[in-house]
Amino acid sequence: MAPANERVAPAGFAALAVKFGERQRSPHWLLVKEHQVREGADTAHPPRRTLFVLNVPPYCGADSLSRLFARCGHVQSVEVCEKPTPGEKKEKHTSKFFNRKSATGFQVAYVVFRKPAGVQAAKALSQEGPLLISTESHPVKTGISKWIDSYAASVVDPEELRAEVDAYMQDYDKKIAEEEAKAAKEEGIPDEEGWVKVTRKGRKPGLPRTEAANLRVLEKEKQKRARKELLNFYAWQHRETKREHIAQLRKKFEEDKQRIALMRAQRKFRPY
Amino acid sequence: MAMEAMAGSPEAARGGRRRGEEAAPALRPAKLSRAELYRPPTSEELSRLKETEDLFHSSLLRLQIEELLKEVTLKETKKKKIDAFLCEINSLLNAIPETLETELTDQAWLSKGVKVPFLQVPFNVKGKFRFLPPAELKVVGSYLLGTCIKPEVNVDVAVTMPREIFQDKDNLNQRYHRKRALYLAHIAQHLSKEKLFSSVKFAYMNGNHLKPILLLRPQGKDEKMVTVRLHACPPPDLFKASRFYPNKNNVRTAWFMEQSIPKEGFIEPPTPHYNNSILCDTVLLSHLHFLSNAAADFPGMKDGLALLKVWLNQRQLSKGLGCFSGFLISMLVAYLLVKRKIVKMMSGYQVLRSTLQFLATTDLSETGISLAKDVDASLPILNDFHQVFEVVFVDPSGLVNLCADVTASKYHQVQFEAKRSMEILDDRMVDGFQVLLMTAKPMLRTFDHVFHLKHVSKLQGACKKMELLNELMDRGGNYVATALPFIVSLLTRGLARRALLLAHSLPQVPEWPIDAEPPKHKDVGPLTFGILFVPEFAATVLEKGPQADHPEALDFRTFWGEKSELRRFQDGSICEAVLWEADTVCQKRLIPEQIVRHLLKLHADIPESSICYMGASLESVIRTGKKVPGTGEEAMVSVVCSYDDLSRKLWNLKGLPLTVTAVQGVHPALRYTDVFPPIPMKPIYSFHTRIRTKHLLLPSEEKPCPAYVAPLKIICHMEGSGQWPQDKEAIKRIKAAFHLQLAELLQQQHQLVCRPAVTHTDVYKDGYVFRLQVAYHREPLILKEVVTPEGMLKYQDTEASQQLEMETLHLPYLTSSLHGLQQQHPVFGSTCRLAKRWISAQLLGDNISEECVDLLVAFLFVHPAPFTPPSSPQVGFLRFLDLLATFDWKNNPLIINLNAGLTDADCTEIKSKFLADRSRLPVMFIATPKDRWSSMWTREQPSVQILQRLLVLASESLRALEEQLMDPLNSQDVKMVFRPPLDFYDVLIHLNPNQIPRHLENVDRPVKSFFRGVVKNSTATKILFPVVDYDPVQCYLQELRDAFSDLALFFYDKHGGEVIAVLWKPLSFQPQPFKVSNMKGRMVTTLNNELVCVPNVEAILEDFEVLGEGLVKNVEARTEKWTI
C-alpha cells in the first residue's frame, strides 16, 4: 500500500506517520490536532498551545514524544493517558510506591508547546516522511531488556519505603487526632438549631446508622408480629394451606413438564 | 381435565419441540395465572397426584420415565410391518425343498455359496442328516411379550426341526449341534435367493459358538427396523431329560481328542455347559408360556423390563458370551413375581427398584435360586448345579441353568452396579433418572485401571498350563470361554483387598455373511479387563502372607512363585511376604500392573507382550523428574511441609505489634493441584547480574532466561485491633509496614532471606519462595463503605473489595476445602493437574480460571454417580472430559456439595433461583456451599465462545483418547490430545526457546534445553535472592493484550509453549466510522468516498516483533485465512 494514498485524516486532524525504527516498513498513523476546550479554562492543557495526539503506539512514551516534536518548537510538557481526559487535572499527591499505574497499550497524548507556532508546525509534519521513535542516539528499550529493567525497578528499597510509610502515617495520625479533638469539643453541645450530635463515642451510643442495623430492626419487628399470629387455628387457614399445597404441586408439575419438553427438544431421551 | 390432556396429548409434545427449536432452548420459571393455580382440583387430578406420590419418586421422574419408554418401545405401525414380514418368512420356510439323506460329514450337497456356520473340530462324527421342512414355526421371546426395545429390535423365531432327521445318540459329540447348523445352513441357502431380504447372515447366539442363528433383515428402508433371528430347536421330548443332568457326560474324550480307542477304566468328566446348550433349545416354548403368564394383566412388568434392559445396556452387560441378557432379566422379574416380591399392582419404576434391590442383596454365585416347583424328586438339586456352574438360576423345568455362561465376576459386577444404583435412587441430591438410565458406562470411564489381553490365542497355552482339558471339551474347544473364569479368579485372588471389583469384557463375535467361514475362537478380539480400586490398599507395597511354619505358607509360595520371600516383621514374626518395587506414588499406583503381569506369566503362560496395561499412559504429560519416573506428588508434599514449618514460625514470631491469627495458603501447590509443583532451587551467581547492596540477583541479558521460580502465595491474617486505621489508604501503608517488619523479623529470628515489597514479602526458604501477604479482616468492609445522602452507612460491592475478598477470604477457604478433598481421595490432585495440563495445552489456560477447573474436578469426586470416585488420574481425566462435553451449562447449575454443606432443599432453591436469573448469571454456573448465588470463580471467564470451543475440544479429545485406549493393537500416542490444532488461528508468533523459562514443561519435552542457572537446593543459608516470578512470555502477553485486546485474542500454553496463537476478532475488522475513542492501532482510509477506520494490520504485525524484542523468533501471518 502506498503511503501517499493513506494520508487521509478526518476533519481537523492531520495524520503523521510514525515508525519504531529504520527496520520497520509499515508506519502507524498519529492523528494530531489543536486541542480545543469547550468552556472553562483547562490549566493543564492551555488552548492554542496544546497539541492533541491520538493513537500513540505502546512503545512511545512521553520522552519519545517530546523528542519527536522538539523540532517544531520548544515542548513545555507532555502528558500521556489512556483516554482523552476533560478538564484540568488536579495535582495529586504522588507516591513512589503506592497507587502507581503505568500506562500501557495505545494512548492519547497532550503535547504543550511553549508557543502556538509549535502546534502548527507539528501539523505540518504530515507532509514529511515517517518519524522514528527509536534512533541510535536515543534507543527505546522493548522486549527482554525492558522487562529486565522493570523487574529491577520492582525491587523496592526497604528504608525508603519505611520512611514514606512513616511520614504518611504521622500525617494521618495527626489528622485523626484533630478530628477527634474536634468531635470531643462538639460532644453534647447543641448547634444553632438546638440539635445534639450523637456519636458512638458518646455516653449513649444509640443505634449505628447502617443499612444492616436497619434491616435487623425490621426483621425483629416481623418476628414479633409472627409470634402473635395463630397458625391453623381458623378453618379458613386450613383451607388456605391445602390450597397452597396443591398450587405448589401444580407449579412444580408445570415446571417439570417444561423441563421434559426441553429435554425432548434436545433429544435427551435417546439413551444411546 | 386440562392438565391431564396437556401431559399426554401429542399436540403438546410437538408444540414443545417446535418452541424448543425456534429459539435456542432455555428453561424459564413456570408462570401460571392465579386462576389456574388456585382453581378447585378435580378428582382425576388428585388421583394422579396421589399416584405419582405413591408409585414414583416424583412427578419429574414419572414424566421422564414415560418419555423414555415412548422413545424405546416399538410403535404400532412398525409392529404391523413386522407382522407382515414374519408372515412372509413363514410361507418361505415351509416351501424349502427337502434333501436326500447323507452322512453328517458329507456336506457336498450344500451349495458353494454357503459355509456351515459351525467350527467342526474334530471334523469326523457319526450320524446322518437330511433336510425336511420345519415341523413348526413359532415366534418366541420379547416381541410377543411386548418387551423388546430399540435400538436393536430382534424377533426370535423358533424353527422346530422334524423328528425324522434325528437318530439315536444325537445327544453325543456335538451331533445335535451340527445337525442344527446344517439345518440353518440349508435354510440360509434358500432364503439368500429371495428378494425379500436385504441381508441374510449368521451370528452366534449370545456369543456361544455352539449355537449359530440365522439373521434376516427386511429389504429397503425398513432394513434397520428389525432383525428376525431363526433358532433351530428339536421337537419336544426328542431327548430324555435325565441324559442332560449337570453331572452327565455327553462328549466323549476319545472322540474329542481324536483317539481311536477309549482308555480302559477312564471315567468320562461331566459336560454341564454342553448339556445346558441342548436343554436351552428344548424349553424355548415353555419359557414363552411361563413369561406370558407372568406378564398377563401386569402393565408395570412391560415398562419395568424396558427400563431394566436400558439399565443393562448402558452398563454394557447385555451382549456377548455370558451376558445378563434381556431374557434373563425377564425370568428374574418373573421369579420375583412368583416369590411375591413384586406384585402386579406395581409400576415400571417399582419393578426396576425391586429387581435392583434383589440383585443387590442376593449373591447367586453362593445361593442359587430355582423356579422349579418341588415335585419331582429325581431332578437335580441346586447343589448339583453349584458344583459345576459359577452362577445358578434354574428355570421352571428344573433342568436348565439360565446363568450357565455367566461368570461369577460378571454377576458380581451386576450386583455391584445394582447396589450402587440403589444408593443413587435413595439419594435425593442426584437426578437418578439421568444417572441410571441415560448415562453410558463404558469400561474406560468406569474402571480405574483397564488392561487388554491383546492376543487371545495365548489363552490356548493358558488352558494347557492350567490343565483345563475337560472344561475345554465341555465348551466345545472354546478356549477363551474356558480360561476366562479361571484367569479372573486368579487375578481376583492376587489383587485381593486392593480391588473392589475386577470385571472383564464379554467375548463378542460380529455376525458374518453366509458365504464366509465361521469366525474362530480368536476372532473375539482383545479381551478387556477393568479394576476398581480400594484407595486405601491399592498402592500397598507389601503383601503379607502366613507365618513360615503354617501349612498355608506353601500355598502362598506356589501362588506368588519366586516373588515370595521370608521376611521378619517388627512384631518378631517371620512370614512369607511379597514386596513390590515402587519408589514414587506414581509407581505405587502401578503395583496392580506388576501383580497382573506376574500372575498371568506365572500361572497362565501369558507373556508380558500380550498384555497392554492402560493405567498411567497419560501421566507422562505431568512427569517432572528426569531420572526417577515420578509425577511430582512427592515434590508437592515437601512444599506443603515447608509451608507448614513457615506457618509455625510465623505464629511464633516475636516482636510483632499485633499477633498473627491465621496463616492460609492460596497457591495451587498448597492444595496439591499445581500442574508442575515447584522444585527447590538455588541460583548460581555467575549466571545472573548481581546487586550486592540489595542482596539479590537479576536476569542477565546475555544469558538464557533464568528458571521460573513461582512465588507460593500465603495469606497472613493479623489480629483485629483498635489500632488499625479505618481508612483504606492508611491500611495500605500499615500493611506495607507489616511486610517490612515481617521480613526483618524472619531474617533476625530464623535467618530466612526476605525481600519485602509494598503488597507482599517474598521469603526464600528450603529452596522455595513464599509470598506473604498481610490481611486485615475489616479491610474489604471498609472498601465497601458508602455513605448515602441521608447519612446512612451502606455496604456496596466494589471491584477492589471483591478482589480483596476473593484473595483473602474465598481462595484460602477453597484451598483448604480442596486440600481436605485430597486427603480423602489421593488422586484428586493428579486428576486436576492432568485436566489443567490439557486445558493449558489446548491454549485455553488463560481463558478459564484455575479454581474453576479444580472445582470441576472436585465435582467428579464429590458426585461420582453413576460411577465410583476415581482412583486413578486417567479415569478421572476421562470423566472430566466427559463432564465438559456433556454438561448442559445453559439450563443447569453445577452444584458441588463440598463438605456436605448443602441440603436437598438448598439445592432446589439454587436451581430455581438459577432459572429465574439465568440471563444475568455467568455462562458456567458453579455453586458451592459457601458460594451459592454468585459463582465467583466463573464470573469473568470463560466467555460463551471459549466455553463452546472448550466443549468441542473436550468431546473430540475424549473420542480420540478412548479410541486409542481401547485399541491395544495399534501403537498409541496418547499425547495427541495434548497437541493443539493450530490451523485454526490467524497469526502465529514463534518464540525463542532460550527465553522461555518453563520450556521443559512442554508436552513433547525437548530433549535438550538451555541451562537456566539453578542447581538443586543446597543447605547454604546466606544467599542472594533469586529471580522470582519472572517469565518474559507472560510480560509479553500482558503487553500484547493491553495494546491489542480489542482487535485480537491471544492464546498460549504457559507450560513451555513455543508459540503464541493470535485470532483476529472478526467484528473489529469491519470498517467503522471514525471515533476519537476508537482509534487504537487503526488508521483512517476512504471507502466509497467515506472516511472509515480499519486496523493497521501491517504495522500491528511489526509491533508484535518490536514489543517482543529478543523473545520473538518470527511472526507467521497466515494471510490466506483473512483479508483486510
Side-chain angles (χ1 to χ4, degrees), chain A residues 25-28 55 59 99 142 146 151 162 209 211 250 253 256 258 262 264 268 270-272, chain B residues 3 25 28 37 39 45 59 67 71 313-314 438 732 744 790 793 1028 1039 1081 1096 1102-1103 1106:
Chain A
R25 272 162 291 138
S26 323
H28 271 295
N55 195 24
Y59 35 75
N99 303 327
T142 59
K146 180 185 165 197
Y151 180 82
R162 191 187 313 270
R209 284 203 69 188
E211 202 187 20
R250 274 182 183 150
F253 186 59
D256 288 348
Q258 201 198 353
L262 176 81
R264 205 189 297 121
K268 278 280 181 68
R270 296 258 169 96
Y272 0 81
Chain B
M3 221 162 149
R28 253 158 269 125
L37 268 181
R39 119 184 85 75
E45 189 184 350
S59 68
E67 283 298 323
E71 194 67 48
N313 266 343
Q314 296 288 27
M438 305 304 288
K732 266 189 203 167
E744 206 170 284
E790 295 88 54
L793 194 63
V1028 181
E1039 286 192 5
N1096 190 357
E1102 280 184 334
D1103 283 352
V1106 170

Side-chain angles (χ1 to χ4, degrees), chain B residues 890-961:
Chain B
K890 195 163 193 180
N891 294 311
N892 291 301
L894 187 79
I895 302 176
I896 305 169
N897 198 359
L898 281 173
N899 305 330
L902 292 173
T903 61
D904 188 22
D906 292 335
C907 285
T908 331
E909 198 189 348
I910 290 175
K911 278 181 198 156
S912 57
K913 271 205 181 176
F914 169 82
L915 280 189
D917 289 353
R918 183 65 192 105
S919 54
R920 265 167 290 152
L921 296 172
V923 280
M924 241 178 165
F925 188 88
I926 299 180
T928 58
K930 287 270 171 175
D931 172 28
R932 299 186 188 188
W933 316 119
S934 65
S935 184
M936 58 181 74
W937 308 112
T938 59
R939 202 148 40 196
E940 320 218 307
Q941 299 169 318
S943 64
V944 190
Q945 294 84 356
I946 294 292
L947 182 64
Q948 190 53 38
R949 173 106 183 117
L950 206 55
L951 302 193
V952 173
L953 285 171
S955 67
E956 275 307 298
S957 299
L958 182 64
R959 196 187 47 75
L961 198 55

Side-chain angles (χ1 to χ4, degrees), chain B residues 86 144 150 229 235 443 559 622 774 817 852 964 1120:
Chain B
L86 286 173
L144 278 191
K150 291 178 197 171
R229 309 197 291 186
M443 283 191 97
F559 185 75
I622 50 167
V774 167
S817 307
C852 167
Q964 282 175 340
E1120 73 274 13

Side-chain angles (χ1 to χ4, degrees), chain B residues 56 155 181 209 219 258 295 383 443 502 557 592 708 758 779 822 881:
Chain B
F56 293 87
V155 179
H209 79 113
Q219 190 63 263
E258 298 187 83
N383 221 2
M443 283 191 97
L502 174 76
R557 222 169 313 147
Y708 183 73
V758 176
E779 192 184 357
Q822 165 79 17
L881 289 181

Side-chain angles (χ1 to χ4, degrees), chain B residues 280-383:
Chain B
C280 276
D281 281 358
T282 63
V283 290
L284 280 178
L285 291 176
S286 66
H287 284 167
L288 176 70
H289 291 304
F290 176 71
L291 282 179
S292 32
N293 278 339
D297 358 297
F298 186 8
M301 174 156 173
K302 210 171 107 180
D303 295 352
L305 282 178
L307 294 178
L308 280 165
K309 283 183 183 180
V310 171
W311 184 82
L312 287 167
N313 266 343
Q314 296 288 27
R315 282 156 184 71
Q316 300 185 337
L317 294 167
S318 62
K319 267 184 225 143
L321 181 62
C323 64
F324 218 81
S325 64
F327 168 68
L328 191 51
I329 204 80
S330 314
M331 290 302 266
L332 189 67
V333 172
Y335 170 82
L336 294 178
L337 190 65
V338 168
K339 293 284 168 204
R340 299 189 190 284
K341 298 211 166 145
I342 286 179
V343 289
K344 293 201 170 184
M345 298 283 295
M346 284 184 169
S347 69
Y349 168 71
Q350 284 171 315
V351 170
L352 172 77
R353 249 192 105 98
S354 318
T355 314
L356 292 183
Q357 177 65 32
F358 178 79
L359 279 173
T361 50
T362 323
D363 189 354
L364 295 186
S365 64
E366 296 287 329
T367 48
I369 52 173
S370 171
L371 275 164
K373 299 189 179 67
D374 291 328
V375 272
D376 196 348
S378 66
L379 286 175
I381 54 167
L382 275 180
N383 221 2

